[in-house]
Amino acid sequence: ARSSGAAPHHSPSWSNSPYTAWSVVYAEGLWDHVTMDIQELGFKAGDAIEVIDATNKEWWWGRIMDSEGWFPASFVRQLSTHLEESQCGDEDGTDLGLLGPGLPCKEQMRANVINEIMTTERDYITHLKDICEGYIKQCRKRTDMFTEEQIRTIYGNIEEIYRFQKKFLKGLEKEFNKGQPHLSEIGCCFLEHQTDFQIYSEYCNNHPNACVQLSKLMKVNKYVYFFEACRLLQKMIDISLDGFLLTPVQKICKYPLQLAELLKYTNPQHRDYKDVEAALKAMKNVARMINERKRRLENIDKIAQWQSSIEDWEGEDVLVRSSELIFSGEISKLSQPQTKSQQRMFFLFDHQMVYCKKDLLRRDILYYKGRMNMDIMEVTDLEDGKEKDFNVTVKNALKLWTRSGNEVHLLCTKKPEQKQRWLRAFADERKQVHNDRETGFSLTEVQKKQAIATHYVLISLSAVTRPYCDFLLRQKHPSLPTALPQQQVFMLAEPKRKTTFWHNIGRLTPFKK
């Protein structure tokens, strides 16, 4: 319970804390704390709070600007001690001051960061355990209220994350020097498990679906009461389930911040320096990869919608083999045994390239004409002049061919720079396929079915009235509910893009005018 009575007047007090009594300690808000109580301190996620008293485990006393008050400790993340530069060293970074039992300032700060990492990691394990045992376990007992599919949608792969994090914490504890935290060498733990952190990608990608599913259930009173009963039985803090489920998303984004802070206070001569430096780079790459996968998954709906606008489609859906539009444009095509070139719109995806014909009267309508399997195609840059296979004179031409000789296509652009763009696009397509194999990226059958199902709904709508289907295609892509108290979900998140027609779909590619 929150401490009652007037504000504390004693000095900052930290139980079992490495911070010294004269230092200033800050905390960062993880969620918005909205309150009508004049004794409580309100703040937003991301706000820095000066902590004045932390003797109570649940409620701390803090200050923001001229306002002071109580706030829940679970709503914040403890930051390292803030010290003036004059106390830590001179301008060239030489340590001058001492903290604690005779430790140089930089080493004490490193100890503080290490302690913070260990504390937050242990708290995180407790948090995951509460979700798995307090909520998921109870949901599985109530088969009359939840299907297994609903449970999977709401909680994603959080149980898998829990198992991994326990293993990760065990490794951290092994490398943690309890008596002299600044001597701990934890960088190797992050390097050892850098590929394991990729399981967060599935969780982050599923999180918007979890929010939607949970929002639907919370409109029914029996689910509101059920989730509240789960929280009380597990003796968890007073935060709604959607707030708890946001924590893994925030956690994976916090690792690069913590490692950057650790590297800042690690001397280059320290045995852990190179590992921490490499770990920081690795965790930034993990965050970047998660964000890239999120972007890719957002685009599959747009690809399905694009396909729904193509007339006379034949064969399998694009999403069966592809998940990314690399480049698109209009090119003249000549394929054996044809003797006359044809103007076609080409759409280069990973693994395949689709080409279409424009309607003679309505140029915004495309008709499917065929596709090429890029996994077996070779691309040759042709010089201007006579082309032997087709016995024609070419300019700004490329040749796509298979080693078996079954397919040979001649593509000609209007300008040399357009040809260079296509050459880069074909190289990028191969690079994308290679990277996907390296990282193990692929669409799940569920993701394919959801996007393709939407595609067939749009086809049926277009059969009734094409203008209405066009209206749907112009709608903004769904985003996370704004009501959720959350910080920026992805460190490297790109701006949202509007869903567009086929003639604008090229904006999803890395090539822009």
mmCIF file of all heavy atoms in Angstrom, residues 382-386 393-397 416 419:
data_model
loop_
_atom_site.group_PDB
_atom_site.id
_atom_site.type_symbol
_atom_site.label_atom_id
_atom_site.label_comp_id
_atom_site.label_asym_id
_atom_site.label_seq_id
_atom_site.Cartn_x
_atom_site.Cartn_y
_atom_site.Cartn_z
ATOM 1 N N LEU A 382 23.343 -6.285 -71.329
ATOM 2 C CA LEU A 382 23.709 -6.308 -72.743
ATOM 3 C C LEU A 382 24.246 -4.952 -73.207
ATOM 4 O O LEU A 382 23.748 -3.905 -72.788
ATOM 5 C CB LEU A 382 22.493 -6.678 -73.603
ATOM 6 C CG LEU A 382 21.871 -8.069 -73.363
ATOM 7 C CD1 LEU A 382 20.664 -8.260 -74.281
ATOM 8 C CD2 LEU A 382 22.892 -9.173 -73.589
ATOM 9 N N GLU A 383 25.226 -5.003 -74.070
ATOM 10 C CA GLU A 383 25.723 -3.778 -74.688
ATOM 11 C C GLU A 383 24.777 -3.376 -75.815
ATOM 12 O O GLU A 383 24.107 -4.217 -76.429
ATOM 13 C CB GLU A 383 27.127 -4.002 -75.254
ATOM 14 C CG GLU A 383 28.183 -4.262 -74.184
ATOM 15 C CD GLU A 383 29.571 -4.416 -74.793
ATOM 16 O OE1 GLU A 383 29.690 -4.324 -76.049
ATOM 17 O OE2 GLU A 383 30.527 -4.636 -74.021
ATOM 18 N N ASP A 384 24.721 -2.076 -76.109
ATOM 19 C CA ASP A 384 23.883 -1.596 -77.205
ATOM 20 C C ASP A 384 24.411 -2.164 -78.520
ATOM 21 O O ASP A 384 25.626 -2.225 -78.750
ATOM 22 C CB ASP A 384 23.894 -0.068 -77.269
ATOM 23 C CG ASP A 384 23.218 0.554 -76.047
ATOM 24 O OD1 ASP A 384 22.559 -0.197 -75.308
ATOM 25 O OD2 ASP A 384 23.352 1.778 -75.845
ATOM 26 N N GLY A 385 23.480 -2.592 -79.378
ATOM 27 C CA GLY A 385 23.881 -3.154 -80.667
ATOM 28 C C GLY A 385 23.098 -4.405 -80.996
ATOM 29 O O GLY A 385 21.971 -4.611 -80.513
ATOM 30 N N LYS A 386 23.669 -5.281 -81.805
ATOM 31 C CA LYS A 386 22.992 -6.483 -82.272
ATOM 32 C C LYS A 386 22.974 -7.562 -81.188
ATOM 33 O O LYS A 386 23.996 -7.867 -80.583
ATOM 34 C CB LYS A 386 23.730 -7.030 -83.498
ATOM 35 C CG LYS A 386 22.904 -8.012 -84.333
ATOM 36 C CD LYS A 386 21.899 -7.275 -85.200
ATOM 37 C CE LYS A 386 21.246 -8.253 -86.205
ATOM 38 N NZ LYS A 386 20.255 -7.566 -87.054
ATOM 39 N N THR A 393 18.462 -5.391 -83.029
ATOM 40 C CA THR A 393 19.314 -4.343 -82.479
ATOM 41 C C THR A 393 18.674 -3.813 -81.203
ATOM 42 O O THR A 393 17.477 -3.471 -81.200
ATOM 43 C CB THR A 393 19.497 -3.190 -83.485
ATOM 44 O OG1 THR A 393 20.070 -3.730 -84.688
ATOM 45 C CG2 THR A 393 20.407 -2.113 -82.933
ATOM 46 N N VAL A 394 19.448 -3.759 -80.121
ATOM 47 C CA VAL A 394 18.889 -3.362 -78.819
ATOM 48 C C VAL A 394 19.616 -2.145 -78.257
ATOM 49 O O VAL A 394 20.761 -1.858 -78.633
ATOM 50 C CB VAL A 394 18.986 -4.524 -77.808
ATOM 51 C CG1 VAL A 394 18.162 -5.710 -78.268
ATOM 52 C CG2 VAL A 394 20.441 -4.918 -77.582
ATOM 53 N N LYS A 395 18.910 -1.464 -77.331
ATOM 54 C CA LYS A 395 19.478 -0.323 -76.617
ATOM 55 C C LYS A 395 18.925 -0.336 -75.198
ATOM 56 O O LYS A 395 17.725 -0.540 -74.997
ATOM 57 C CB LYS A 395 19.120 0.982 -77.333
ATOM 58 C CG LYS A 395 19.839 2.203 -76.754
ATOM 59 C CD LYS A 395 19.499 3.458 -77.565
ATOM 60 C CE LYS A 395 20.263 4.671 -76.999
ATOM 61 N NZ LYS A 395 19.946 5.907 -77.761
ATOM 62 N N ASN A 396 19.794 -0.130 -74.226
ATOM 63 C CA ASN A 396 19.397 -0.170 -72.801
ATOM 64 C C ASN A 396 18.710 -1.508 -72.466
ATOM 65 O O ASN A 396 17.623 -1.533 -71.892
ATOM 66 C CB ASN A 396 18.452 0.984 -72.457
ATOM 67 C CG ASN A 396 19.010 2.339 -72.827
ATOM 68 O OD1 ASN A 396 20.214 2.573 -72.709
ATOM 69 N ND2 ASN A 396 18.147 3.228 -73.308
ATOM 70 N N ALA A 397 19.357 -2.605 -72.855
ATOM 71 C CA ALA A 397 18.722 -3.920 -72.748
ATOM 72 C C ALA A 397 19.341 -4.815 -71.681
ATOM 73 O O ALA A 397 20.515 -4.711 -71.342
ATOM 74 C CB ALA A 397 18.776 -4.617 -74.101
ATOM 75 N N PRO A 416 19.102 4.849 -70.022
ATOM 76 C CA PRO A 416 20.191 4.073 -69.402
ATOM 77 C C PRO A 416 20.089 3.993 -67.890
ATOM 78 O O PRO A 416 20.373 2.948 -67.292
ATOM 79 C CB PRO A 416 21.456 4.829 -69.825
ATOM 80 C CG PRO A 416 21.064 5.619 -71.016
ATOM 81 C CD PRO A 416 19.622 5.957 -70.841
ATOM 82 N N LYS A 419 17.758 1.323 -66.766
ATOM 83 C CA LYS A 419 18.402 0.012 -66.870
ATOM 84 C C LYS A 419 19.266 -0.261 -65.643
ATOM 85 O O LYS A 419 19.256 -1.372 -65.080
ATOM 86 C CB LYS A 419 19.243 -0.034 -68.142
ATOM 87 C CG LYS A 419 20.102 -1.271 -68.286
ATOM 88 C CD LYS A 419 20.950 -1.173 -69.546
ATOM 89 C CE LYS A 419 22.012 -2.230 -69.594
ATOM 90 N NZ LYS A 419 22.839 -2.144 -70.821
#
